[in-house]
Coordinates of all heavy atoms in Angstrom, one line a residue:
D1519 N -56.4 -2.9 7.3 CA -56.2 -3.5 8.6 C -55.3 -4.7 8.5 O -55.5 -5.7 9.2 CB -57.5 -3.8 9.3 CG -58.3 -2.6 9.6 OD1 -57.7 -1.5 9.8 OD2 -59.5 -2.7 9.6
C1520 N -54.3 -4.6 7.6 CA -53.3 -5.7 7.5 C -52.0 -5.3 8.1 O -51.0 -5.0 7.3 CB -53.2 -6.1 6.0 SG -54.7 -6.8 5.3
T1521 N -51.9 -5.2 9.4 CA -50.7 -4.7 10.0 C -49.5 -5.5 9.9 O -48.4 -5.1 10.2 CB -51.1 -4.4 11.5 OG1 -51.5 -5.6 12.1 CG2 -52.1 -3.3 11.7
Q1522 N -49.7 -6.8 9.5 CA -48.5 -7.7 9.4 C -48.0 -7.8 7.9 O -47.1 -8.5 7.6 CB -48.8 -9.1 9.9 CG -49.1 -9.0 11.4 CD -49.3 -10.4 11.9 OE1 -48.6 -11.4 11.5 NE2 -50.3 -10.6 12.8
L1523 N -48.7 -7.0 7.0 CA -48.3 -7.0 5.6 C -46.9 -6.4 5.4 O -46.7 -5.3 5.8 CB -49.3 -6.3 4.8 CG -49.2 -6.2 3.2 CD1 -49.3 -7.7 2.7 CD2 -50.2 -5.4 2.6
T1524 N -46.0 -7.2 4.8 CA -44.6 -6.7 4.6 C -44.2 -6.7 3.1 O -43.3 -6.0 2.7 CB -43.6 -7.6 5.3 OG1 -43.8 -8.9 4.9 CG2 -43.9 -7.5 6.9
D1525 N -44.9 -7.5 2.3 CA -44.5 -7.6 0.9 C -45.7 -7.7 -0.1 O -46.7 -8.4 0.2 CB -43.7 -8.9 0.6 CG -42.3 -8.8 1.4 OD1 -41.4 -8.2 0.8 OD2 -42.3 -9.4 2.5
I1526 N -45.6 -6.9 -1.2 CA -46.6 -7.0 -2.3 C -45.8 -7.3 -3.5 O -44.9 -6.6 -3.8 CB -47.5 -5.8 -2.4 CG1 -48.3 -5.5 -1.2 CG2 -48.3 -5.9 -3.7 CD1 -49.0 -4.2 -1.2
Y1527 N -46.2 -8.4 -4.2 CA -45.5 -8.8 -5.5 C -46.5 -8.5 -6.6 O -47.5 -9.1 -6.7 CB -45.2 -10.3 -5.4 CG -44.3 -10.7 -4.3 CD1 -44.8 -11.0 -3.1 CD2 -42.9 -10.7 -4.5 CE1 -43.9 -11.3 -2.0 CE2 -42.0 -11.0 -3.5 CZ -42.5 -11.3 -2.3 OH -41.7 -11.7 -1.2
C1528 N -46.2 -7.5 -7.4 CA -47.0 -7.0 -8.5 C -46.3 -7.3 -9.8 O -45.3 -6.7 -10.1 CB -47.4 -5.6 -8.4 SG -48.7 -5.1 -9.5
Y1529 N -46.9 -8.3 -10.5 CA -46.3 -8.7 -11.8 C -46.6 -7.9 -13.0 O -46.1 -8.1 -14.1 CB -46.6 -10.2 -12.0 CG -45.8 -11.1 -11.1 CD1 -46.3 -11.4 -9.8 CD2 -44.6 -11.6 -11.5 CE1 -45.5 -12.2 -9.0 CE2 -43.8 -12.4 -10.6 CZ -44.3 -12.7 -9.3 OH -43.6 -13.5 -8.5
A1530 N -47.5 -6.9 -12.8 CA -47.9 -6.0 -13.9 C -46.8 -5.1 -14.3 O -46.2 -4.4 -13.4 CB -49.2 -5.2 -13.6
T1531 N -46.5 -5.0 -15.6 CA -45.4 -4.1 -16.0 C -45.8 -2.6 -16.0 O -45.0 -1.7 -15.8 CB -44.9 -4.5 -17.4 OG1 -46.0 -4.5 -18.3 CG2 -44.2 -5.8 -17.5
N1532 N -47.1 -2.4 -16.1 CA -47.7 -1.0 -15.9 C -48.5 -1.0 -14.6 O -49.2 -2.0 -14.4 CB -48.6 -0.7 -17.1 CG -47.9 -0.5 -18.4 OD1 -46.9 0.2 -18.5 ND2 -48.4 -1.1 -19.4
P1533 N -48.2 -0.1 -13.8 CA -48.9 -0.1 -12.5 C -50.5 -0.1 -12.7 O -51.0 0.7 -13.4 CB -48.5 1.3 -11.9 CG -47.2 1.6 -12.5 CD -47.4 1.1 -13.9
P1534 N -51.1 -1.1 -12.1 CA -52.6 -1.1 -12.2 C -53.1 0.2 -11.6 O -52.6 0.8 -10.6 CB -53.0 -2.3 -11.3 CG -51.8 -3.2 -11.4 CD -50.6 -2.3 -11.4
R1535 N -54.2 0.7 -12.1 CA -54.9 1.9 -11.6 C -55.5 1.5 -10.2 O -56.0 0.4 -10.0 CB -56.0 2.3 -12.5 CG -56.7 3.6 -12.1 CD -57.6 4.1 -13.1 NE -58.4 3.0 -13.7 CZ -59.4 3.2 -14.5 NH1 -59.7 4.4 -14.9 NH2 -60.1 2.1 -14.9
V1536 N -55.3 2.4 -9.2 CA -55.8 2.1 -7.9 C -56.7 3.2 -7.4 O -56.6 4.4 -7.8 CB -54.6 2.0 -6.9 CG1 -53.7 0.8 -7.2 CG2 -53.7 3.2 -6.8
Y1537 N -57.6 2.9 -6.6 CA -58.6 3.8 -6.0 C -58.2 4.0 -4.5 O -57.8 5.1 -4.1 CB -60.0 3.4 -6.2 CG -60.4 3.2 -7.7 CD1 -60.2 2.0 -8.3 CD2 -60.8 4.4 -8.4 CE1 -60.5 1.9 -9.7 CE2 -61.1 4.3 -9.7 CZ -60.9 3.0 -10.4 OH -61.2 2.9 -11.7
I1538 N -58.3 3.0 -3.7 CA -57.8 2.9 -2.4 C -56.9 1.7 -2.3 O -57.4 0.6 -2.3 CB -59.0 2.9 -1.4 CG1 -59.9 4.1 -1.4 CG2 -58.4 2.7 0.0 CD1 -61.0 4.1 -0.5
L1539 N -55.7 1.9 -2.2 CA -54.7 0.8 -2.2 C -54.6 0.2 -0.9 O -54.8 -1.0 -0.7 CB -53.4 1.3 -2.8 CG -52.3 0.2 -3.0 CD1 -52.8 -0.8 -4.0 CD2 -51.0 0.8 -3.4
A1540 N -54.3 1.0 0.1 CA -54.1 0.5 1.5 C -54.5 1.4 2.6 O -54.5 2.6 2.4 CB -52.6 0.2 1.6
Q1541 N -55.0 0.8 3.7 CA -55.4 1.6 4.8 C -55.0 0.7 6.0 O -55.4 -0.4 6.2 CB -56.9 1.9 4.8 CG -57.4 2.8 5.8 CD -58.8 3.1 5.6 OE1 -59.6 2.5 4.9 NE2 -59.2 4.2 6.3
N1542 N -54.3 1.4 6.9 CA -53.9 0.7 8.2 C -53.1 -0.6 7.9 O -53.5 -1.7 8.3 CB -55.1 0.4 9.1 CG -54.6 0.0 10.5 OD1 -53.6 0.4 11.0 ND2 -55.5 -0.7 11.2
I1543 N -52.0 -0.5 7.2 CA -51.2 -1.6 6.9 C -49.8 -1.5 7.6 O -49.5 -0.4 8.2 CB -50.9 -1.8 5.4 CG1 -50.2 -0.7 4.8 CG2 -52.3 -2.1 4.7 CD1 -49.7 -0.9 3.4
G1544 N -49.0 -2.5 7.6 CA -47.7 -2.5 8.2 C -46.8 -1.4 7.5 O -46.9 -1.2 6.3
T1545 N -45.9 -0.8 8.3 CA -45.0 0.2 7.7 C -43.7 -0.5 7.3 O -43.3 -1.5 7.8 CB -44.7 1.3 8.8 OG1 -44.1 0.7 9.9 CG2 -46.0 2.0 9.1
G1546 N -43.0 0.2 6.4 CA -41.7 -0.3 6.0 C -41.6 -1.5 5.1 O -40.6 -2.2 5.0
G1547 N -42.7 -1.8 4.4 CA -42.8 -3.0 3.5 C -42.1 -2.7 2.2 O -41.6 -1.7 1.9
V1548 N -42.2 -3.8 1.4 CA -41.5 -3.7 0.0 C -42.6 -4.1 -1.0 O -43.3 -5.1 -0.9 CB -40.4 -4.7 0.0 CG1 -39.7 -4.7 -1.4 CG2 -39.3 -4.3 1.0
L1549 N -42.6 -3.2 -2.1 CA -43.4 -3.5 -3.3 C -42.5 -4.1 -4.3 O -41.5 -3.4 -4.7 CB -44.1 -2.2 -3.8 CG -44.8 -2.4 -5.2 CD1 -45.9 -3.4 -5.1 CD2 -45.3 -1.0 -5.6
H1550 N -42.6 -5.3 -4.7 CA -41.8 -6.0 -5.7 C -42.4 -5.9 -7.0 O -43.6 -6.2 -7.2 CB -41.6 -7.5 -5.3 CG -41.1 -7.7 -3.9 ND1 -39.8 -7.9 -3.6 CD2 -41.8 -7.8 -2.7 CE1 -39.6 -8.1 -2.3 NE2 -40.8 -8.0 -1.8
V1551 N -41.7 -5.4 -8.0 CA -42.2 -5.2 -9.4 C -41.2 -5.7 -10.4 O -40.0 -6.0 -10.1 CB -42.4 -3.6 -9.6 CG1 -43.4 -3.1 -8.6 CG2 -41.1 -2.9 -9.6
P1552 N -41.7 -5.9 -11.6 CA -40.8 -6.5 -12.7 C -39.6 -5.5 -13.0 O -39.7 -4.3 -12.8 CB -41.7 -6.6 -13.9 CG -43.1 -6.6 -13.3 CD -43.1 -5.8 -12.1
A1553 N -38.5 -6.1 -13.4 CA -37.3 -5.4 -13.8 C -37.7 -4.3 -14.8 O -38.5 -4.6 -15.7 CB -36.3 -6.3 -14.4
G1554 N -37.2 -3.1 -14.7 CA -37.4 -2.0 -15.6 C -38.7 -1.2 -15.3 O -39.0 -0.3 -16.0
C1555 N -39.4 -1.6 -14.2 CA -40.7 -0.9 -13.9 C -40.7 0.0 -12.7 O -41.7 0.6 -12.3 CB -41.8 -2.0 -13.8 SG -42.1 -2.9 -15.3
K1556 N -39.6 0.0 -12.0 CA -39.5 0.8 -10.7 C -39.9 2.2 -10.9 O -40.7 2.7 -10.1 CB -38.1 0.7 -10.1 CG -38.0 1.4 -8.8 CD -36.5 1.2 -8.3 CE -36.4 1.9 -7.0 NZ -35.1 1.8 -6.4
Y1557 N -39.4 2.9 -11.9 CA -39.7 4.3 -12.1 C -41.2 4.5 -12.3 O -41.8 5.4 -11.7 CB -39.0 4.8 -13.3 CG -39.3 6.3 -13.6 CD1 -38.6 7.3 -13.0 CD2 -40.3 6.7 -14.5 CE1 -38.8 8.6 -13.2 CE2 -40.6 8.0 -14.7 CZ -39.9 9.0 -14.1 OH -40.1 10.3 -14.3
E1558 N -41.9 3.7 -13.1 CA -43.3 3.8 -13.3 C -44.1 3.7 -12.0 O -45.1 4.4 -11.8 CB -43.8 2.8 -14.3 CG -43.4 3.1 -15.7 CD -42.0 2.7 -16.1 OE1 -41.4 2.0 -15.2 OE2 -41.5 3.0 -17.1
Y1559 N -43.7 2.8 -11.2 CA -44.4 2.6 -9.9 C -44.2 3.7 -8.9 O -45.1 4.2 -8.2 CB -44.1 1.2 -9.3 CG -44.9 0.1 -9.8 CD1 -44.4 -0.6 -10.9 CD2 -46.1 -0.3 -9.2 CE1 -45.2 -1.7 -11.5 CE2 -46.8 -1.4 -9.8 CZ -46.4 -2.0 -10.9 OH -47.1 -3.1 -11.4
E1560 N -42.9 4.2 -8.9 CA -42.6 5.2 -8.0 C -43.3 6.5 -8.3 O -43.5 7.4 -7.4 CB -41.1 5.4 -7.9 CG -40.3 4.4 -7.2 CD -38.8 4.6 -7.2 OE1 -38.3 5.2 -8.1 OE2 -38.2 4.1 -6.2
H1561 N -43.6 6.7 -9.6 CA -44.3 7.9 -10.0 C -45.8 7.7 -10.4 O -46.3 8.3 -11.2 CB -43.5 8.5 -11.2 CG -42.2 9.0 -10.8 ND1 -41.1 8.1 -10.9 CD2 -41.8 10.2 -10.3 CE1 -40.0 8.8 -10.4 NE2 -40.4 10.0 -10.1
S1562 N -46.4 6.8 -9.6 CA -47.8 6.4 -9.8 C -48.5 6.6 -8.5 O -47.9 6.9 -7.5 CB -47.9 5.0 -10.3 OG -47.7 4.1 -9.2
D1563 N -49.8 6.3 -8.5 CA -50.6 6.4 -7.3 C -50.2 5.4 -6.2 O -50.4 5.7 -5.1 CB -52.1 6.2 -7.6 CG -52.7 7.3 -8.4 OD1 -52.2 8.4 -8.4 OD2 -53.8 7.0 -9.1
W1564 N -49.5 4.4 -6.6 CA -49.0 3.4 -5.7 C -48.1 4.1 -4.6 O -48.1 3.7 -3.5 CB -48.2 2.3 -6.4 CG -49.1 1.4 -7.2 CD1 -49.7 1.6 -8.3 CD2 -49.4 0.0 -6.8 NE1 -50.4 0.5 -8.7 CE2 -50.2 -0.5 -7.8 CE3 -49.0 -0.8 -5.8 CZ2 -50.7 -1.7 -7.8 CZ3 -49.5 -2.1 -5.8 CH2 -50.4 -2.5 -6.8
M1565 N -47.3 5.0 -5.1 CA -46.2 5.6 -4.2 C -46.4 7.1 -4.1 O -45.5 7.8 -3.8 CB -44.8 5.3 -4.7 CG -44.5 3.8 -4.7 SD -44.6 3.0 -3.1 CE -43.2 3.7 -2.3

Side-chain angles (χ1 to χ4, degrees):
D1519 296 330
C1520 296
T1521 56
Q1522 295 184 41
L1523 184 63
T1524 58
D1525 294 277
I1526 297 174
Y1527 300 86
C1528 188
Y1529 287 86
T1531 54
N1532 292 313
R1535 185 173 43 174
V1536 296
Y1537 299 94
I1538 296 176
L1539 186 62
Q1541 187 174 15
N1542 192 29
I1543 64 169
T1545 59
V1548 177
L1549 171 62
H1550 305 265
V1551 301
C1555 298
K1556 182 178 179 179
Y1557 180 86
E1558 287 81 7
Y1559 278 87
E1560 288 181 331
H1561 294 89
S1562 73
D1563 291 338
W1564 286 73
M1565 298 302 290

